Amino acid sequence: MNARRFASNKYDAVIIGGSIGGLVAASYLARGEARVLLVEQSDRFGGRTEMVELGEGFRAPVAQRDGNALDGRVLRDLRLARHGLQHDKRDMKLVALRPGGQSIALSLRGSTPLTWRGDAPGGSTYAAFCREASAWARRLSRVWDGSLDLPDARGPESRLAMIARRLQLSDWDQERFEYISQSSAAGFLNRWFEDDALKAALSLEVFASGLSPEEAGSALVLIWRYGQSGFGQRAAPVPVRGGPDGLAGALKASASSAGAELRTNASVKLIIVEKKRVVGVMLASGELIAAGAVLSSLDARRTLLELVPPECIGFGAAASLPEYQRVATARLIMGLKGLPPFAGLEPRDLASRIVIAERSEIAAEAKRVALLGRLPEELVMEASIPSVADPDLAPAGRHVLIAVLPYMPVVIEGGWQASKEHLRRRTLATLESFAPGLKDRVVTHWLMTPEDIANRYGGHAGEPGSPSSRLLASYESRIRTPFAGLYLCGASAEPVSNHSGRAARIAVGLVFAEWAGRKGRKT
């Protein structure tokens, strides 16, 4: 098919999906004076940054932490503050709950002392840990922001050696780097701390990677988390005013003001390929659109197997694509009469991320059982109360609580509809054990199972290689596809799935470089 001959419209670039990555790519391309079309299947932009209505006057962000790690260059380049993006300047601490009301409250910035209620030692060790983690995060930031030139290398050992050489690490630092890259988060934290609840709370940071804290390579994921930043505050979760939906709104305004064309209720049915080069797309409506580049914010599997013609994908390329993840998260969102009565927590602690995980082994066991299609015996979770920072989410005197449940099976024995109420009751019972009387304060609730989330926002494929190997790979290897002119720009193109917008920024840089090269050859 000659797309340019039969197309009703011609654009420099078409972007598939209006997620955070898609909006970032649209804004960058339009600011570079490219003619850009972004098509979004649903009636809204932002993907999982949706703000949902719970009824009874309650609203809640589905993905509470999205926007916490927005790429600093994206924030500055797109001037998002001018488009209404604001952040809450409060220090969003991490609180580890322990039985008997003995909690640990700490700042991930490492700039304030550890607050420890109980008979454990003070926070000097934690401050030292933060310094080392942040120092390694700064050293490796060039690997993770796409600024370090990393050609392909054979095998993980040569990859480690190449990165160490490019970063000019000393022999001692290279040995330490190899240890961190191959260790588990639990083992890494064991070198610093003795308290199980503290180690479990810190190690739960790795769940977005799909790894449990006990798995090799998860220590590097923990260091990566300390390398993320929001609004110039490294390693510190920074809530966005208006929730994650506020981030999507600012990016939409940025892209629109730059001249990008944004369409909702439109979807791409087919990516058109000619001689291993992408030349356009066909929409579900039948409209043909010619394009010099196509950027997909979907994952690699959906992009290449569902949108590229089957005859264009070789057997080897198709076989190398990752399967969909077998472990995911669920969310219980509740509207409450008053604040949740967590025992032992001060009012200032309720604006924190609250972790229930007494030992890191519980998370490892939860993942093992989830892979068998069952619910774990003990739940781990991270809870937050976004209405403390944003009172508009609930009626006066009322609050919203969100419990994120990692290490849930994607497919469960008997189906999720049969297990939904059981999981809700167990989640509430676990919360009640730390917040006696919570059940009586529940006004409304919504449990989102992995199946619900996949149906609403699309499934998410795993990625080839372990998360630790992906953290040491180049961004180009995650963004490029087997087809010239087709790039990935969404959360799955990141080393660990997140909505920083960094992959989209780098993808657009590759598009402009390709265009410049083609123009140079023509002249």
Side-chain angles (χ1 to χ4, degrees), residues 54-56 58 333-342 384-385 387 393-402 428 431 435 437-445:
L54 301 178
E56 304 287 340
F58 294 95
I333 307 174
M334 295 181 287
L336 305 177
K337 294 181 289 185
L339 286 166
F342 285 110
S384 60
I385 312 162
S387 52
L393 296 177
R398 300 192 170 196
H399 286 275
V400 171
L401 185 149
I402 302 173
L428 191 54
L431 288 166
L438 177 65
K439 292 180 182 179
D440 296 332
R441 301 191 183 191
V442 177
V443 177
T444 183
H445 69 271

Side-chain angles (χ1 to χ4, degrees), residues 68-322:
N68 292 348
L70 184 65
D71 182 61
R73 283 189 55 184
V74 170
L75 181 68
R76 294 189 300 272
D77 292 348
L78 303 186
R79 302 176 182 178
L80 296 182
R82 296 187 180 184
H83 296 287
L85 187 65
Q86 298 179 350
H87 70 284
D88 192 325
K89 297 181 180 180
R90 284 181 290 182
D91 182 7
M92 192 174 187
K93 295 181 180 180
L94 183 69
V95 172
L97 296 183
R98 298 193 296 177
Q102 301 298 309
S103 62
I104 307 166
L106 46 89
S107 167
L108 287 181
R109 297 178 191 174
S111 59
T112 58
L114 182 68
T115 301
W116 203 306
R117 302 179 186 92
D119 56 1
S124 59
T125 302
Y126 175 69
F129 163 76
C130 283
R131 285 194 296 270
E132 181 183 35
S134 297
W136 275 110
R138 286 192 297 272
R139 286 176 174 176
L140 296 173
S141 62
R142 292 178 61 202
V143 179
W144 299 329
D145 66 12
S147 63
L148 187 67
D149 181 23
L150 287 174
D152 290 336
R154 295 181 181 178
E157 293 182 353
S158 59
R159 190 70 178 177
L160 287 170
M162 176 190 295
I163 292 173
R165 185 176 64 256
R166 295 292 175 101
L167 295 177
Q168 299 181 332
L169 299 182
S170 67
D171 291 343
W172 189 92
D173 282 341
Q174 181 172 347
E175 183 178 341
R176 184 68 172 161
F177 175 43
E178 291 178 358
Y179 165 76
I180 292 172
S181 301
Q182 298 164 6
S183 297
S184 69
F188 180 66
L189 290 165
N190 281 340
R191 295 168 64 100
W192 288 95
F193 308 108
E194 295 183 1
D195 187 89
D196 287 335
L198 172 61
K199 290 185 290 186
L202 291 172
S203 66
L204 201 62
E205 291 284 334
V206 308
F207 78 76
S209 70
L211 290 178
S212 78
E214 301 285 331
E215 291 182 80
S218 57
L220 190 62
V221 179
L222 185 63
I223 296 296
W224 175 84
R225 283 288 299 132
Y226 276 80
Q228 303 312 293
S229 61
F231 300 91
Q233 298 176 13
R234 187 172 294 277
V238 182
V240 173
R241 292 271 178 89
D245 197 44
L247 172 60
L251 286 169
K252 177 186 174 184
S254 174
S256 296
S257 66
E261 181 181 339
L262 310 178
R263 292 191 201 176
T264 55
N265 299 307
S267 61
V268 171
K269 180 179 181 180
L270 181 70
I271 295 174
I272 303 170
V273 179
E274 296 178 0
K275 298 179 180 179
K276 301 295 287 185
R277 169 172 289 280
V278 167
V279 294
V281 300
M282 181 173 71
L283 302 187
S285 64
E287 179 183 357
L288 290 177
I289 298 173
V294 174
L295 292 85
S296 175
S297 63
L298 308 179
D299 60 57
R301 190 172 188 86
R302 292 179 65 196
T303 300
L304 297 175
L305 293 189
E306 297 181 18
L307 298 181
V308 172
E311 63 271 16
C312 297
I313 300 286
F315 176 78
S320 67
L321 290 173

Side-chain angles (χ1 to χ4, degrees), residues 462-487:
E463 297 299 334
S466 67
S468 57
S469 67
R470 283 173 54 80
L471 281 164
L472 300 177
S474 67
Y475 256 98
E476 288 194 28
S477 66
R478 293 188 293 272
I479 290 171
R480 292 188 184 276
T481 71
F483 303 98
L486 177 60
Y487 301 88

